[in-house]
Amino acid sequence: MFNKTEENAVRYRRAQSVTKAEEITEKEKKARKSQLDKPCHKPRDSLFSWSSEFTNFTGLVNWGFLMLTIGGLRLCLENFLKYGIRVNPFEWFIVLTGHNEGYSHQYPSVILLIFSVVPAVTCLLIEKAIAVEILSQKLGVSLQIINMVSEISLPVIILYFKGTQFSFVGITTVCTIYLVLFLKLWSYCQTNHWCRLGMKGKQYKNTLRRQSLSAPNWKTLEDEKHDFVSAGLVKYPDNLTLKDLFYFLLAPTLCYELNFPRTTRIRKRFLIKRIIEVVFGVNLVMALFQQWMIPSVRNAVDPFSEMGIVKMTERLLKLAVPNHLIWLCFFYLSFHSFLNLMGELLHFADRNFYSDWWNANNISVFWSSWNMPVHLWAVRHVYIPMTEIGYTKGSASIVVFFISAFFHEYLVSVPLQMFRVWAFLGMMAQPPLSVISRVVEKKLGARWGNIIVWSSLILGQPLAIMMYYHDYALAHFAPQQ
């Protein structure tokens, strides 16, 4: 009985397998028949053709990063084998503070940074004197101009008489801080000036809008004063205090407002990340500068002096690589890590420090997106005031670039203690280059416009700075004839 049952089960399984095999065979026949019926060719473009609209190049991007990593490691090994380990963190303190062995008890860069408080407080005192009508409007504005011109000129004067006591990085830091302070005081004085004009009824076109209070505009009616008290808002002249001034000086912005947008708390994890990035980033930039940049600059002296076209081009391209890498590191360190760190500590809510400049399709878009604090300052305090008094937009743009070119020259020529015009000419070349990039974008497409932007960053500005390094190296490192 059991044998018959097993035989029946075996027969059943065999029948099922035969049935499934027949089904598979029928499906294969249908599939083959359908494949024979379908054409194997149809109109289509290759994937690398722009008209194919294929966009998934993730594998090639990974390949590119891998090749860049391998190339970077090779350059590091070549640098170490050729120059040895030149990184010396103990020298960084001397470089940053300006400490000189011949002046063992003097730190001129630190002294100048501390002294920067004096013109800021002077600016506040003048504003308070104007507010209480101790000084007239005309006299007060004249004193503010003298104060700001003296403030921006102080590093130049001190460096002229005490130049041997400063290091290059130390005086560069001082000039950068004094320039930032100059732009902040300009905004502080001009915004308070707009407030006074509004209170006196001299409301120029869009005067109240340009105050940008980040809150409802102040009101002149006494019976509405309690609205500001209950809302915690500040109005002129109650903003003229040391606390308000120093908050603005430390805040990551160049545009003064009576009421800044604030956050309600400090995100500890976010803050710790930014602190780590700042500490690591400063050390990385200094190490790259010491290990890579300085030897490359010194080696470039002879080819530049000999003016061999091929050798000079090779050295320029070689210098462009470390310069561009340091520029990218400095951008992330300054505009993301440091400014977000200050914003988090000060509860400053507006963190729009940069836009997607890497996607810029022309030069003008790049300049309006990579450094948002400076861009907003230029638009608010130079471009809009000029257009409102009758100047054309083109004229206002030229003035903005002229001011930017002057301060770029200031940040390079003053620390190097030699006047050149490479940075100034480089910035003044941006308006015509912007026109060219727009034409290329219009004729050839956005991709080629973006390529021009990146080309100008890699081969334009870095090479202009290299010209200064070359002249400096000739003056300090080249053998005397």
Side-chain angles (χ1 to χ4, degrees):
M1 181 177 179
F2 289 102
N3 291 334
K4 290 182 178 180
T5 303
E6 291 177 359
E7 290 177 2
N8 292 333
V10 172
R11 291 174 182 172
Y12 177 75
R13 285 195 295 269
R14 288 178 179 175
Q16 277 189 330
S17 61
V18 171
T19 303
K20 289 182 178 179
E22 291 177 352
E23 291 178 355
I24 293 174
T25 304
E26 290 296 329
K27 289 182 179 179
E28 290 180 352
K29 290 180 179 179
K30 291 180 179 179
R32 291 174 183 173
K33 186 177 180 180
S34 62
Q35 289 177 1
L36 293 174
D37 293 339
K38 289 182 179 179
C40 60
H41 296 288
K42 62 180 180 180
R44 49 190 168 185
D45 293 319
S46 300
L47 296 184
F48 286 153
S49 300
W50 289 3
S51 56
S52 68
E53 298 182 355
F54 181 79
T55 58
N56 186 12
F57 294 100
T58 304
L60 292 179
V61 172
N62 294 335
W63 168 81
F65 275 114
L66 181 60
M67 292 299 295
L68 287 175
T69 302
I70 294 174
L73 290 175
R74 188 200 66 80
L75 288 175
C76 289
L77 292 176
E78 180 185 16
N79 185 275
F80 286 135
L81 291 174
K82 188 174 183 179
Y83 304 112
I85 299 178
R86 302 175 56 89
V87 178
N88 185 0
F90 294 102
E91 293 183 357
W92 299 351
F93 174 77
I94 298 175
V95 169
L96 290 174
T97 59
H99 178 62
N100 192 303
E101 293 181 359
Y103 304 87
S104 58
H105 301 291
Q106 299 183 17
Y107 299 89
S109 298
V110 176
I111 295 174
L112 275 177
L113 291 178
I114 296 175
F115 185 80
S116 64
V117 176
V118 174
V121 175
T122 302
C123 177
L124 174 63
L125 294 177
I126 295 174
E127 286 296 326
K128 290 181 72 70
I130 298 175
V132 297
E133 298 182 351
I134 294 178
L135 295 177
S136 65
Q137 177 78 12
K138 185 176 181 180
L139 178 60
V141 171
S142 300
L143 291 177
Q144 291 288 29
I145 294 175
I146 294 174
N147 179 53
M148 289 189 292
V149 172
S150 302
E151 181 268 339
I152 198 66
S153 303
L154 183 62
V156 182
I157 298 173
I158 297 298
L159 196 63
Y160 179 80
F161 291 101
K162 303 288 184 179
T164 57
Q165 300 181 27
F166 290 88
S167 67
F168 171 73
V169 178
I171 192 59
T172 301
T173 304
V174 170
C175 289
T176 302
I177 297 299
Y178 269 67
L179 175 56
V180 171
L181 178 61
F182 175 82
L183 298 179
K184 283 177 176 279
L185 293 182
W186 182 329
S187 178
Y188 185 78
C189 296
Q190 195 169 20
T191 303
N192 286 316
H193 176 69
W194 290 335
C195 290
R196 287 191 294 271
L197 292 179
M199 293 186 68
K200 292 179 179 180
K202 299 178 181 180
Q203 298 181 3
Y204 289 85
K205 182 181 179 181
N206 295 328
T207 295
L208 294 180
R209 176 184 60 77
R210 287 193 280 111
Q211 292 173 31
S212 301
L213 299 181
S214 293
N217 288 326
W218 44 262
K219 306 173 185 180
T220 58
L221 298 178
E222 290 297 331
D223 57 351
E224 294 180 344
K225 184 177 181 179
H226 67 278
D227 293 340
F228 288 85
V229 176
S230 60
L233 301 178
V234 178
K235 73 169 187 175
Y236 185 85
D238 297 336
N239 63 305
L240 300 178
T241 62
L242 281 174
K243 180 181 178 181
D244 181 86
L245 174 62
F246 279 99
Y247 178 87
F248 169 58
L249 295 181
L250 294 175
T253 180
L254 298 177
C255 295
Y256 176 69
E257 294 180 334
L258 276 68
N259 297 279
F260 289 104
R262 306 287 185 97
T263 59
T264 57
R265 65 183 182 90
I266 295 178
R267 298 168 292 178
K268 295 181 180 179
R269 182 175 299 180
F270 181 86
L271 181 65
I272 292 174
K273 289 181 180 179
R274 300 292 81 80
I275 292 175
I276 294 175
E277 288 178 355
V278 169
V279 174
F280 177 77
V282 170
N283 285 271
L284 177 62
V285 170
M286 295 297 292
L288 289 173
F289 192 85
Q290 196 173 30
Q291 181 69 37
W292 198 356
M293 179 68 75
I294 294 178
S296 298
V297 170
R298 290 183 176 180
N299 289 340
V301 175
D302 292 339
F304 269 78
S305 302
E306 296 168 1
M307 295 303 292
I309 300 299
V310 177
K311 193 67 176 179
M312 181 177 65
T313 303
E314 185 270 336
R315 287 297 180 181
L316 284 175
L317 294 176
K318 187 175 181 179
L319 291 175
V321 175
N323 188 87
H324 187 65
L325 179 60
I326 291 176
W327 183 82
L328 289 176
C329 293
F330 185 77
F331 164 79
Y332 186 88
L333 172 65
S334 302
F335 290 91
H336 184 75
S337 301
F338 180 72
L339 293 184
N340 268 295
L341 171 63
M342 296 302 298
E344 197 69 22
L345 290 173
L346 296 173
H347 296 270
F348 190 81
D350 186 4
R351 307 295 176 85
N352 185 30
F353 305 130
Y354 56 90
S355 187
D356 59 336
W357 55 266
W358 47 87
N359 293 325
N361 296 327
N362 57 69
I363 299 297
S364 60
V365 173
F366 166 77
W367 284 112
S368 62
S369 58
W370 94 275
N371 188 339
M372 294 305 296
V374 171
H375 172 69
L376 293 176
W377 181 92
V379 171
R380 184 183 187 224
H381 295 286
V382 180
Y383 185 84
I384 292 179
M386 288 189 64
T387 56
E388 289 180 354
I389 61 177
Y391 287 93
T392 63
K393 294 182 178 180
S395 300
S397 298
I398 294 298
V399 171
V400 168
F401 274 103
F402 180 86
I403 295 174
S404 178
F406 174 81
F407 285 129
H408 275 78
E409 189 68 48
Y410 174 86
L411 289 176
V412 180
S413 292
V414 174
L416 291 176
Q417 303 182 50
M418 58 182 188
F419 177 73
R420 299 293 186 274
V421 294
W422 308 122
F424 182 86
L425 294 178
M427 285 302 302
M428 292 308 296
Q430 297 306 303
L433 184 59
S434 176
V435 175
I436 295 174
S437 65
R438 287 180 180 177
V439 173
V440 171
E441 179 188 7
K442 184 178 180 180
K443 298 292 184 180
L444 301 179
R447 181 173 299 182
W448 283 101
N450 183 254
I451 290 175
I452 288 183
V453 172
W454 277 110
S455 299
S456 67
L457 292 177
I458 297 174
L459 302 175
Q461 300 171 7
L463 294 185
I465 296 176
M466 290 301 99
M467 297 298 292
Y468 286 97
Y469 289 150
H470 161 255
D471 294 341
Y472 183 83
L474 280 181
H476 293 79
F477 305 128
Q480 299 295 328
Q481 298 290 334

